[in-house]
Amino acid sequence: MEYGSSSTNTATTAQSWLEKHSRTLGFFVDGTFSSPADRQTLDVTDSKSAVVCSTVCAKDEDVMSAVSSAARGFTTWRELSCYQRAKVLLKLASVLQRHSQCVSELCELSQSSTSPTVLIRLAQYYASWAQLRDTLMPEWTPHGVVVVSDDCSVYFLMLKVLPALSMGNSVIVVPGKTSALPALLLAQLFMEAGIPAGVLNVVTGSEVSLAAKLAQNPQVNYLTYCGCKQTGEAVAKAVAGWGVPMSFSLSQSSVCPFIIFDSADLDSAVDGVIELAFKKKRDFQWVLCVQESVLDSVVARLKLRMAGMKCVSLVTETDRNLIDVVVQEAQQQGATLIQSCPPPSTGGLYPPTVLCGLAPSCESVISPPPGPVLPLMSFRSSAEGVTLGNHSPHGQAASIWTEDLTLALESAKSLCLGSVWVNCHSVMDPALPICGRRESGNCTDGGREGLYQFLRPSLSPSLPRSSPSSINYAAFGSVASKFMIPEGFDPSSVPRFYPQLVSGQLRKADSGCSRSVLAPGGAVLAHCPDGGRKDVRNAVEAATKVQPGWMKKSPATRSQSIYSLADSLDKRRRDLAVSIQTQTSISFEEAEKEVELSISRLSDWAARCDKEQGGTPFPPQSGSALSTPEALGVLGVILPSSKPLLSLVSLLGAAVAMGNAVVMVPSEKYPLPALEFIQVLQASDIPAGLVSIITGSRDQLTQALANHSVIQSIWYWGSKEGCQFLQYSCINPLKRLWLHCEEEEEEAAGRNWSSSNPSLQEELWRKAVVWKSIWIPTA
């Protein structure tokens, strides 16, 4: 990599680097480039559709080589001290500075523009976390070999690679078409910085097929994807069942609101619209929302600013057909156009265009087309503007414009989004988390919070590796349970019927069916409802009504409600101990000990309600920033069989302490303690409908929870087939998953529910929250 002496020839260093590799780039494995001769190749084109170079498509043996190299690299990398790992990342920052021109040019050539200054900031930030890992996270351990599949910008790629490396993992990068060249160059720069061979590997080809091949290897421990919804869904379905935890950041297909209130500086807001909406390639899709009292002024300013603007080149010529269809449909629905000039009849160019007067249900609002097309909607009040901002199924980011700080903060708090920019847009820094909500992602990148996706508590069991089972996903959960009451059974021989708790009320199953609660010896102890899909629907409907109010209560108020739950459990400790002993056949003393631990655990969560807070990081840009944890919403929890009461209150306490509502499914094997606990709930101050406990077939209720669009997260203890079903199904609608194969965990001792280790409690509360970042500029 040599710098040219002439500043006029801006492509010198990038072109010379490509020429050095004969414009055919192979894989970067075990610290060196390799380009086998018998491989298919993919062309990489620039903005003018000219071929820049080609990349090689990996085969099975290439994947095996990369994984073996990464496994060896992980062993070497984790044995280094925190200081030694941090030293490598700090040196990377200086290497990036030295080769910044080549990095910048190569990103520009591959249509993945990223400033080297941003990458240097990333390297410096995560070097400090590499230094502090053992000091601040002593109870956490790296996953091992991490696969990062990316089809976004280089910034988002490195926002996953660098934290994974800083926490001690080795990484295999599967770059998309636009990030392949920068990824290969950066891998070479990592080696120049002194990273051991094998710690960072890059294999190119189809993201979906490579992710599936990598997941099949038992040495791969974690997979994370950043890109578009369609590819992410294909990756999830290809990897389901291999026992690899997955996370997704689907920012590329996210639709974000740009909200202008009547108290905004309109000139600055319109400048922001012009900067953001009419770029050739955007990180997100945008929808403009303007308050009616200033709509005419904003439209007039837009017309003035757009006059004379040139046509923007589209990423692909097929985008032109999509734009024409969307614009024609919008006009048929009454929209008016603002265009800088008439569009060319054909070709890959299109003028900056604003579609005015659209309804929220219009297709161009729900799914805006690629290219320089901006939908515009209007709203009357500030509250309606927030509602409009939450209308999209995505939850990535928003830009709000107002000179009223109170309105800005209240609106930012009410928007169900991961990032909110006040009077600015697209400001990012690794110190603040980027957290996708709803269809925008199920993980957190950036900040301290983003490190934990690449770690697990040392005492927490990992998901066991396996091969996929043959599952009929459409029929999952339809097999009759062995606990169903047999035909001709005499109900008078059973001493008691336990109702379930749905929507805050004691109910039978909506289907009217019941099931048996069996003792370990097979004797029938009681009957309980056999809940189904409609019971789940009723429970979720009640939860959505009560959860927003519960979340808005002060942490101190939530704390007192949970203390009352612990007190109610204390008053019924003997009844719960008897139910545990009867159901599990352990001694009464052990059952009493479990109840005592359960009371203590609820008190712990009550005490943590107002202790888990966000912060105010110090970003390098001028202004202030806030990072706050928020409730996920409604959670589905399929409870484990081990420690049936203690596991229930541990998971319940974490969920409700952070402001969530929860629909719980007790263990089919030991449901009695959960049914007895219903009376404890009813005697406490927990609002009716916040917690529902539904008994029934685990698979049937899992299927109902997975297919419900309101459920934001599922915590699952169950079968290997259930884990596979959830990984396959919970990509659409997207959910956060915390999966445990209970049969395998029992053999390996599983999670120790009695342990008071801080990392296990921290893992629980981090699973119960999402993060919101708020940027407030001062200039």
Side-chain angles (χ1 to χ4, degrees):
M1 275 184 272
E2 298 177 355
Y3 289 90
S5 58
S6 172
S7 60
T8 58
N9 189 359
T10 59
T12 302
T13 55
Q15 296 292 353
S16 62
W17 185 77
L18 292 171
E19 290 294 344
K20 181 181 177 181
H21 293 276
S22 302
R23 295 194 177 270
T24 301
L25 290 162
F27 322 117
F28 192 87
V29 174
D30 209 25
T32 59
F33 282 99
S34 63
S35 183
D38 60 338
R39 302 292 189 270
Q40 290 184 343
T41 59
L42 291 174
D43 289 338
V44 178
T45 58
D46 61 15
S47 58
K48 298 179 180 178
S49 300
V51 176
V52 174
C53 68
S54 59
T55 57
V56 176
C57 298
K59 287 187 174 181
D60 291 352
E61 54 264 38
D62 305 314
V63 170
M64 288 291 295
S65 175
V67 174
S68 299
S69 173
R72 294 191 300 270
F74 171 62
T75 302
T76 304
W77 188 239
R78 71 175 174 181
E79 288 176 354
L80 298 181
S81 67
C82 288
Y83 166 72
Q84 289 172 313
R85 288 194 292 267
K87 189 176 178 181
V88 171
L89 297 184
L90 274 176
K91 189 174 180 183
L92 174 67
S94 64
V95 171
L96 283 168
Q97 180 70 50
R98 191 160 61 249
H99 298 296
S100 59
Q101 183 181 356
C102 185
V103 172
S104 177
E105 291 168 2
L106 205 61
C107 290
E108 190 68 33
L109 276 174
S110 55
Q111 304 183 65
S112 182
S113 298
T114 300
S115 168
T117 305
V118 173
L119 301 180
I120 292 168
R121 163 66 178 154
L122 280 169
Q124 292 171 338
Y125 179 77
Y126 285 110
S128 63
W129 275 117
Q131 177 71 46
L132 297 172
R133 196 204 78 179
D134 287 352
T135 303
L136 299 181
M137 306 168 186
E139 303 292 337
W140 295 75
T141 186
H143 286 299
V145 178
V146 172
V147 175
V148 177
S149 181
D150 176 87
D151 195 24
C152 282
S153 68
V154 178
Y155 177 82
F156 285 107
L157 171 65
M158 298 306 289
L159 196 57
K160 287 186 179 289
V161 170
L162 284 168
L165 293 173
S166 69
M167 294 298 100
N169 301 279
S170 64
V171 176
I172 300 173
V173 176
V174 182
K177 197 171 182 180
T178 58
S179 57
L181 299 188
L184 290 164
L185 172 62
L186 289 169
Q188 180 179 328
L189 299 184
F190 267 101
M191 289 300 298
E192 188 175 331
I195 199 168
V199 176
L200 179 62
N201 303 274
V202 180
V203 289
T204 50
S206 167
E207 298 104 301
V208 178
S209 63
L210 284 178
K213 291 174 183 176
L214 287 163
Q216 295 173 23
N217 194 300
Q219 292 178 301
V220 171
N221 306 102
Y222 185 77
L223 185 147
T224 180
Y225 171 80
C226 182
C228 66
K229 173 79 173 179
Q230 293 79 7
T231 306
E233 187 171 342
V235 168
K237 293 183 176 181
V239 175
W242 287 103
V244 178
M246 294 183 284
S247 64
F248 297 89
S249 300
L250 306 178
S251 58
Q252 194 174 3
S253 50
S254 293
V255 179
C256 305
F258 191 107
I259 305 174
I260 302 177
F261 293 105
D262 58 6
S263 53
D265 178 346
L266 298 185
D267 290 318
S268 298
V270 171
D271 287 344
V273 172
I274 299 296
E275 291 171 7
L276 185 68
F278 303 133
K279 295 190 295 185
K280 177 182 177 181
K281 192 164 185 180
R282 299 168 290 182
D283 290 325
F284 317 125
Q285 300 289 339
W286 290 91
V287 173
L288 180 59
C289 307
V290 182
Q291 196 156 1
E292 280 186 358
S293 55
V294 293
L295 178 61
D296 292 340
S297 299
V298 169
V299 169
R301 285 172 168 82
L302 280 172
K303 289 179 179 178
L304 183 64
R305 289 296 312 278
M306 291 171 61
M309 289 181 68
K310 295 181 180 179
C311 291
V312 178
S313 59
L314 305 176
V315 176
T316 63
E317 290 194 12
T318 56
D319 290 346
R320 175 61 189 269
N321 297 329
L322 295 174
I323 293 175
D324 288 339
V325 170
V326 168
V327 170
Q328 184 178 3
E329 181 184 346
Q331 287 180 301
Q332 289 173 353
Q333 295 178 357
T336 57
L337 301 186
I338 303 175
Q339 289 184 321
S340 59
C341 60
S345 56
T346 58
L349 296 174
Y350 203 81
T353 302
V354 178
L355 303 174
C356 301
L358 296 173
S361 59
C362 183
E363 182 63 28
S364 58
V365 172
I366 298 171
S367 181
V373 178
L374 180 67
L376 186 152
M377 295 185 292
S378 62
F379 59 89
R380 291 183 292 272
S381 64
S382 301
E384 187 179 333
V386 171
T387 302
L388 212 56
N390 285 327
H391 171 69
S392 169
H394 308 96
Q396 186 70 35
S399 177
I400 59 177
W401 293 75
T402 175
E403 297 294 296
D404 185 339
L405 182 60
T406 301
L407 174 61
L409 293 176
E410 285 298 319
S411 300
K413 187 177 179 181
S414 301
L415 287 167
C416 186
L417 301 165
S419 299
V420 180
W421 298 298
V422 178
N423 296 332
C424 59
H425 63 81
S426 305
V427 185
M428 294 183 186
D429 186 82
L432 254 74
I434 301 173
C435 188
R437 305 281 286 270
R438 295 179 289 187
E439 293 298 310
S440 292
N442 59 6
C443 65
T444 302
D445 298 310
R448 177 173 182 168
E449 298 77 17
L451 299 173
Y452 287 93
Q453 68 172 307
F454 302 109
L455 296 168
R456 64 178 180 85
S458 303
L459 299 179
S460 179
S462 58
L463 195 64
R465 296 307 307 269
S466 59
S467 57
S469 302
S470 178
I471 295 178
N472 182 348
Y473 293 103
F476 183 83
S478 61
V479 179
S481 170
K482 64 180 180 180
F483 296 97
M484 290 294 293
I485 297 176
E487 209 173 314
F489 184 82
D490 181 12
S492 63
S493 63
V494 178
R496 186 170 179 183
F497 177 86
Y498 284 88
Q500 60 189 359
L501 182 66
V502 179
S503 308
Q505 300 177 1
L506 298 177
R507 292 185 178 182
K508 295 182 178 181
D510 191 78
S511 64
C513 299
S514 299
R515 58 197 291 113
S516 302
V517 179
L518 304 180
V524 178
L525 298 174
H527 286 162
C528 64
D530 186 50
R533 185 179 294 105
K534 193 170 182 180
D535 298 291
V536 168
R537 188 174 70 234
N538 293 337
V540 173
E541 184 179 348
T544 54
K545 292 177 180 178
V546 71
Q547 188 270 332
W550 173 253
M551 179 179 64
K552 290 177 182 177
K553 289 181 182 292
S554 68
T557 302
R558 293 202 301 266
S559 175
Q560 291 305 309
S561 296
I562 299 174
Y563 273 127
S564 78
L565 182 61
D567 184 59
S568 178
L569 177 58
D570 189 27
K571 291 175 181 177
R572 295 185 60 87
R573 63 166 61 220
R574 181 172 179 80
D575 293 340
L576 268 299
V578 169
S579 71
I580 294 171
Q581 180 194 28
T582 303
Q583 182 81 94
T584 64
S585 292
I586 64 174
S587 67
F588 188 72
E589 290 74 18
E590 289 178 318
E592 280 189 314
K593 185 178 179 181
E594 182 174 343
V595 176
E596 181 65 33
L597 279 171
S598 300
I599 296 168
S600 175
R601 188 63 51 79
L602 279 175
S603 300
D604 285 346
W605 284 115
R608 291 177 77 115
C609 275
D610 57 354
K611 307 301 185 297
E612 307 296 356
Q613 300 174 353
T616 54
F618 300 100
Q621 296 92 341
S622 63
S624 302
L626 305 174
S627 174
T628 60
E630 293 187 347
L632 280 163
V634 183
L635 312 185
V637 181
I638 292 84
L639 293 165
S641 297
S642 62
K643 299 290 183 183
L645 179 64
L646 181 56
S647 60
L648 183 153
V649 300
S650 298
L651 298 169
L652 172 66
V656 299
M658 298 301 114
N660 300 286
V662 61
V663 179
M664 311 192 87
V665 178
S667 159
E668 282 190 279
K669 189 177 180 182
Y670 301 136
L672 200 57
L675 292 167
E676 197 72 51
F677 185 75
I678 289 174
Q679 298 183 47
V680 175
L681 274 169
Q682 290 199 305
S684 72
D685 292 340
I686 298 294
L690 189 72
V691 179
S692 292
I693 297 178
I694 304 175
T695 54
S697 165
R698 180 179 63 193
D699 288 349
Q700 183 181 7
L701 294 173
T702 297
Q703 191 264 356
L705 290 168
N707 290 333
H708 203 297
S709 61
V710 174
I711 298 288
Q712 296 299 309
S713 179
I714 294 180
W715 301 350
Y716 179 84
W717 277 260
S719 65
K720 181 172 76 73
E721 292 76 16
C723 292
Q724 178 178 334
F725 171 78
L726 288 172
Q727 283 192 318
Y728 184 91
S729 303
C730 289
I731 187 68
N732 190 18
L734 184 64
K735 294 176 173 41
R736 294 168 181 261
L737 298 178
W738 191 22
L739 304 178
H740 305 78
C741 184
E742 194 169 32
E743 292 87 347
E744 300 284 349
E745 284 192 4
E746 286 176 356
E747 293 178 7
R751 188 183 185 91
N752 184 2
W753 293 104
S754 302
S755 173
S756 57
N757 187 283
S759 66
L760 296 178
Q761 303 304 308
E762 184 175 10
E763 181 185 32
L764 271 173
W765 87 262
R766 287 190 179 279
K767 296 291 184 183
V769 298
V770 287
W771 291 87
K772 176 179 286 183
S773 299
I774 303 173
W775 293 85
I776 307 172
T778 55

